[in-house]
Amino acid sequence: MKVVVIGGDGYCGWATALHLSNRGYEVSIIDNLVRRYWDVQLGAETLTPIASIQQRIQRWRDLTGKSIDLFIGDITDYDFLIKALHKCEPEAIVHFGEQRSAPFSMIDREHAVLTQVNNVVGTLNILYAMRQDFPDCHLVKLGTMGEYGTPNIDIEEGYITIEHNGRKDTLPYPKQPGSFYHLSKVHDSHNIHFACRVWGLRATDLNQGVVYGVLTEETGMDEMLINRLDYDGVFGTALNRFCIQAAIGYPLTVYGKGGQTRGFLDIRDTVRCMEIAIANPADPGKFRVFNQFTELFSIGDLAEMVQKAGIKMGLDVAINNIDNPRVELEQHYFYAKNTSLLSLGLEPHYLSDSLLDSLLNFAQKYKDRADKEQILPKVSWRR
Ligand SMILES: NC(=O)c1ccc[n+]([C@@H]2O[C@H](COP(=O)([O-])OP(=O)(O)OC[C@H]3O[C@@H](n4cnc5c(N)ncnc54)[C@H](O)[C@@H]3O)[C@@H](O)[C@H]2O)c1
């Protein structure tokens, strides 16, 4: 089966491209490498040294005999996109190719506009390309659990059945996103839903939790295949940051009270979820939504887990609660359903088992590359 991975040079995309290639899919990558450019602009770098996309693909071919085609270009350029898709003739498109940082989108007007244009136009172009020439292709699109916000009721998988004034309907679950980035994902979800309804396209929106971990079966095969580990104030996630802080003896910086609770999953589960979604496509005309996470943790829980694991490794780990640069609830109800992917066969990895191998050991190994200036948040949500 032919699959295109858009954003295949990024964190989730690279691991997914290798995993699918290893499983016998014919994989092509589309990426404009803009993420590497944004890192340069911010003066930030992944802790792990990543090779160029060409070197990565070459090493994969040398190691396994499997080739991955590469198309370098921007999916907001429709001409480029349609030509690349015609060269691949995909049966499934996995779309990771977006600006994915909430703080990046909150830097200023330019970054908010860049994020929304890049994400919304890119996805719209894919929908139009599918409508024009690939109407049977299955779009597997990465959304985020952050689209829902933190409502005071259980979060369903995309839809909720509501009774109102004696009538009943099943409707898209209400969204209360927390940044212009998260808003771009909500706009995408609406556009994809509409395209499925009016053009009969098929799509799966994967509302993914925060992904952690460096290792998958494939990226662990060779140093040249290593994945990124972002810890900076813009692209780093709290868990990555805590692990690197523990490794370099810097107190773990918990934003605010630390009761902010989110869904999380191991990168090995991300790649497996992609495989499951592709192997079980949505029906024509169907916009399917799965919540893609395996465990819920508060930021305070994560800091304590890293502290305990760090102390076991002989590290001196303190926790500091610092002013929260974001506007968000710091103590709240949070419960979200995630049964769809489990019922299709996902067997989760758990953070308690992988914290050391997939994160802290990497943080330790590459700690000399850490730039302390990049750790603290510089972007504020407030005026
Ligand atoms: N990493 C997470 O924890 C996480 C959590 C939830 C959802 N997601 C979603 O998963 C997707 C991938 O996230 P990631 O962490 O791998 O991000 P990433 O920044 O590592 O990778 C994104 C890739 O897309 C490419 N890209 C961006 N805009 C493009 C464009 N216009 N044309 C072509 N390529 C483009 C970038 O160059 C980069 O290689 C995103 O859509 C993100 O919203 C990620």
Side-chain angles (χ1 to χ4, degrees), residues 146-163:
E147 292 182 41
Y148 297 116
T150 52
N152 200 30
I153 57 170
D154 292 355
I155 295 172
E156 303 297 321
E157 297 200 70
Y159 298 91
I160 185 167
T161 301
I162 299 176
E163 264 193 68

Side-chain angles (χ1 to χ4, degrees), residues 217-354:
E217 184 189 331
E218 294 80 16
T219 61
M221 282 182 187
D222 188 278
E223 185 82 6
M224 186 80 88
L225 303 178
I226 199 167
N227 210 342
R228 24 169 82 249
L229 178 51
D230 298 309
Y231 65 96
D232 61 279
V234 172
F235 279 101
T237 61
L239 179 57
N240 288 358
R241 190 174 69 244
F242 293 162
C243 289
I244 283 127
Q245 288 172 322
I248 63 173
Y250 193 116
L252 314 190
T253 46
V254 171
Y255 294 174
K257 295 193 181 94
Q260 303 92 311
T261 301
R262 303 286 184 264
F264 289 82
L265 75 163
D266 190 302
I267 183 84
R268 290 171 293 185
D269 293 336
T270 291
V271 302
R272 176 74 183 124
C273 288
M274 297 305 133
E275 189 185 354
I276 291 174
I278 293 167
N280 301 277
D283 292 332
K286 181 111 197 237
F287 175 66
R288 197 171 56 165
V289 183
F290 295 161
N291 291 344
Q292 181 174 312
F293 68 92
T294 57
E295 295 178 280
L296 299 175
F297 294 107
S298 75
I299 299 302
D301 293 337
L302 293 180
E304 279 173 21
M305 283 176 83
V306 172
Q307 185 179 44
K308 269 192 201 138
I311 289 170
K312 266 195 202 154
M313 292 170 84
L315 302 169
D316 180 16
V317 188
I319 299 178
N320 247 1
N321 289 71
I322 63 169
D323 283 348
N324 193 345
R326 302 182 179 213
V327 177
E328 61 187 359
L329 294 179
E330 294 176 4
Q331 302 284 4
H332 56 87
Y333 178 79
F334 192 80
Y335 181 75
K337 304 268 172 72
N338 64 343
T339 46
S340 297
L341 285 158
L342 295 172
S343 63
L344 287 171
L346 175 66
E347 290 172 12
H349 293 82
Y350 295 108
L351 179 59
S352 49
D353 300 326
S354 38

